[in-house]
Amino acid sequence: MGVPQAMAALRDKAALVRESLQKSQTITESMVSILGSFDHRLSSLETAMRPTQIRTHSIRRAHENIDKTLKAAEAILGRFDLTRKAEAKILRGPHEDLESYLEAIDQLRSNLQYFTTHKCFKSTSGIITHANNLLTKAISKLEDEFRNLLTNYSKVVEPDRLFDGLPDSLRPSATSPGKRNDSKKDSDNQKNSENAVYTPPTLIPPRVLPLLHNLAQQMVQAGHQQQLFRIYRDTRASVLEQSLRKLGVERLSKDDVQKMQWEVLEAKIGNWIHYMRIAVKLLFAGEKKICDQILAGIDSLRDQCYAEITANSVSVLLSFGEAIAKSKRSPEKLFVLLDMYEIMRELQSEIDYLFGTKSCTEMRESAQSLTKRLAQTAQETFGDFEEAVAKDATKTAVLDGTVHPLTSYVINYVKFLFDYKTTLEQLFQEFEESDTEAQLKTLTTRIMEALQTNLDGKSKQYKDPALTQLFLMNNMHYIVRSVRRSEAKDLLGDDWVQIHRRIVQQHANQYKRISWAKVLQCVTIQGAAPTGGGGILGGDSGSGISRAMVKDRFKNFNAQFEDLHMRQCQWNVPDSELRESLRLAVAEVLLPAYRSFHKRFGQVLPMAESGKSPCKYIKYKPEDLERMLSEFFEGKTCVEQKR
């Protein structure tokens, strides 16, 4: 196709497009005109419908308000109904159904809060006033119910029930309270008491405790804390004090203690130790348990309540301990002081727990103060005892030279001290942190030295120096033997024992020298000067003795031996081994000398004077002396000897 033809075709197409565009423009203008007309009509319609829409919205809001009002009215009517039901239960009182009564109070309190926050109609204030009055009456009845319930179930605990809560070893059937045994009555029991199981009595039945707790909570919510406090304190304190009185606890002053005979006081101290254990581990522990349960969640009131319930009972118990600690000191009180100190130490952790709150500070500190005072008094009594031993001035001498009562008393005292070794170590630590074993050793050594010094003084009362030595030998032997058989040996040591055994031997040797030296001189050949008067006996002129001297020797021997026999059979060596040892020591020097003298001169003397009996001078054979020596130191009286 040529160019002219192509151009013609293109023009035709352009004309066609132009025509189409013109038609489209015409249609668009027509549509805009139509839509504008619709917009005008819709605007007119909307204007016409607006009042209808407003009325519809108002109707909807009215319906919503009606629904809300109906619901509010329904809720208020429901509260009125609940208040009416709660009022009915409250007016019936708590006796029939306590739990239902408590629920009614909760409901009434809830309704009161509701009406207080929904003051939407005129009668609200009247309803609130009525509810408050009703709640006051309800709480008043609640107080009465709490008091009645607590009083009815708070019973005095009989002693037998308390004893049942003790470990078997501490019950009165096992160890009678108030009586001390010389071997330390409860030594083993007290050592095991820390691990023993104690069972506090049931002071209030468990089923009643939740009811009392709920009642207490209601009283607190009503602002009646003080009423609750007074009711609980007065009721429980009275029962606790009566329980202790039935057990035997009584308030005693220092003057009361001073007037008592020692046996009576000792029994009361033993009872006090028993009562302290029962009070702390059973009664006070049981009291704290129910107080914690009934007043749970009311901490300040609970702590103050428990403090005031127990205050008087604690005071009565501790006042007796204080009276003993402040009373006149005497050696026999030391061990009961240690017993009292021991029980206070044993109970210290329980006391710290039971009386650990701020409200109980005074009682806790009073117990600690008593423990300290008992320790101080015991320590001062040690010093008194040492001084009393050193200055003991009893004039009554033991005539037979046996062990002096002071010696046995002091040794038994020291033995008892070692029964309390652990307690003493704790006591020493109350005042200083030094080596407690060294302190006990020093104390024991000083007491022993004081005893020996006193015995030396008492030995000077004897006119016979031989009896002096026998007395010292007996007493020192008793001391050494007692130490060797006790725990004191481990403390004083083997060196102490050996030194004092040598002292015993020294006194025995001194006795032999003083008693038997002159007797032995009568039968000793050596050193006798030969004489020509009256003839010479014996073939050896170097050892010749005149007949007169032989007569005098036998005569003097008989007289001196008989005198020793008469006197020293009355003397006493109570230890059988020591007695036999001393007899043997005498026999070992006397009998060989007498046999030799008797053998040499006993057969010759009769030939010198025919017709005269040698028995006038030779009264005893060696066998007779041996028999008579076996009668020495038996402590026989003159009458017994004649028999």
Side-chain angles (χ1 to χ4, degrees), residues 25-56:
Q25 179 68 30
T26 302
I27 292 169
T28 299
E29 289 175 353
S30 298
M31 285 301 297
V32 168
S33 176
I34 292 169
L35 288 172
S37 175
F38 275 131
D39 183 56
H40 177 72
R41 290 177 183 179
L42 284 173
S43 177
S44 299
L45 181 62
E46 185 180 39
T47 301
M49 290 184 67
R50 185 171 292 114
T52 304
Q53 288 175 338
I54 291 171
R55 286 195 296 274
T56 302

Side-chain angles (χ1 to χ4, degrees), residues 168-185:
D168 291 342
S169 60
L170 293 175
R171 293 180 186 178
S173 57
T175 54
S176 180
K179 294 183 180 179
R180 296 185 79 255
N181 185 324
D182 285 345
S183 61
K184 193 172 184 294
K185 58 172 178 151

Side-chain angles (χ1 to χ4, degrees), residues 200-217:
T202 301
L203 301 180
I204 292 177
R207 62 183 177 80
V208 180
L209 293 173
L211 296 177
L212 288 169
H213 171 65
N214 290 337
L215 287 169
Q217 291 281 20

